[in-house]
Amino acid sequence: QVRVEESGGGSVQAGGSLSVSCSVSGSPLRNWCMAWHRQGLGKERDEVAGWDTDGRPIVADSLKGRFTVSQDYDNSILLLKMNTLEPEDSGMYYCKVSPRDCYGPGACSCRPGVYYWGQGTQVTVSS
């Protein structure tokens, strides 16, 4: 059974920083396509950052310069670091993972139609 676990988050004043981390049942990161999504109150769930199939970080254009995503291979964690937070960044942050299938160098893809969500972690930014 796949278990997606998020941790971190919390409350901070505007301009502050927070980090959230995601792990998958203790499984190595290379086995998964992983991405962070967030959902503000009354808003849709949107992708904010992740790791592409070629092993490169991706961040939503509107968040570049404030959000960074990295992988901690020793602890099998996908880490989202959020700086200069704004009240609009508040919401539930969810980690979504899909199995990553590789058929050779540079030939990896996320398994279509198969994905798992974590339970989410709350981020609250006060003005």
Side-chain angles (χ1 to χ4, degrees):
Q1 182 177 357
V2 176
R3 187 172 67 250
V4 182
E5 296 182 346
E6 301 120 331
S7 62
S11 298
V12 68
Q13 289 190 327
S17 299
L18 285 172
S19 295
V20 290
S21 61
C22 174
S23 63
V24 186
S25 306
S27 176
L29 297 180
R30 64 178 180 273
N31 294 342
W32 304 98
C33 296
M34 303 175 74
W36 281 102
H37 295 244
R38 72 180 180 186
Q39 186 168 20
L41 191 63
K43 298 181 180 179
E44 294 184 351
R45 190 175 298 189
D46 295 322
E47 183 171 335
V48 299
W51 216 254
D52 72 11
T53 55
D54 294 326
R56 295 170 297 194
I58 51 176
V59 177
D61 287 343
S62 61
L63 300 175
K64 288 179 179 177
R66 296 196 299 122
F67 286 25
T68 58
V69 63
S70 60
Q71 292 185 331
D72 178 347
Y73 288 101
D74 290 340
N75 295 294
S76 297
I77 290 173
L78 184 71
L79 182 66
L80 179 67
K81 173 72 171 177
M82 303 174 287
N83 296 319
T84 321
L85 283 162
E86 304 168 354
E88 293 73 25
D89 295 317
S90 296
M92 286 294 288
Y93 282 68
Y94 299 92
C95 184
K96 180 183 179 183
V97 306
S98 298
R100 180 171 177 257
D101 298 320
C102 292
Y103 305 98
C108 296
S109 62
C110 305
R111 196 173 302 171
V114 181
Y115 54 89
Y116 308 90
W117 290 98
Q119 78 287 352
T121 185
Q122 178 69 39
V123 170
T124 302
V125 185
S126 58
S127 57

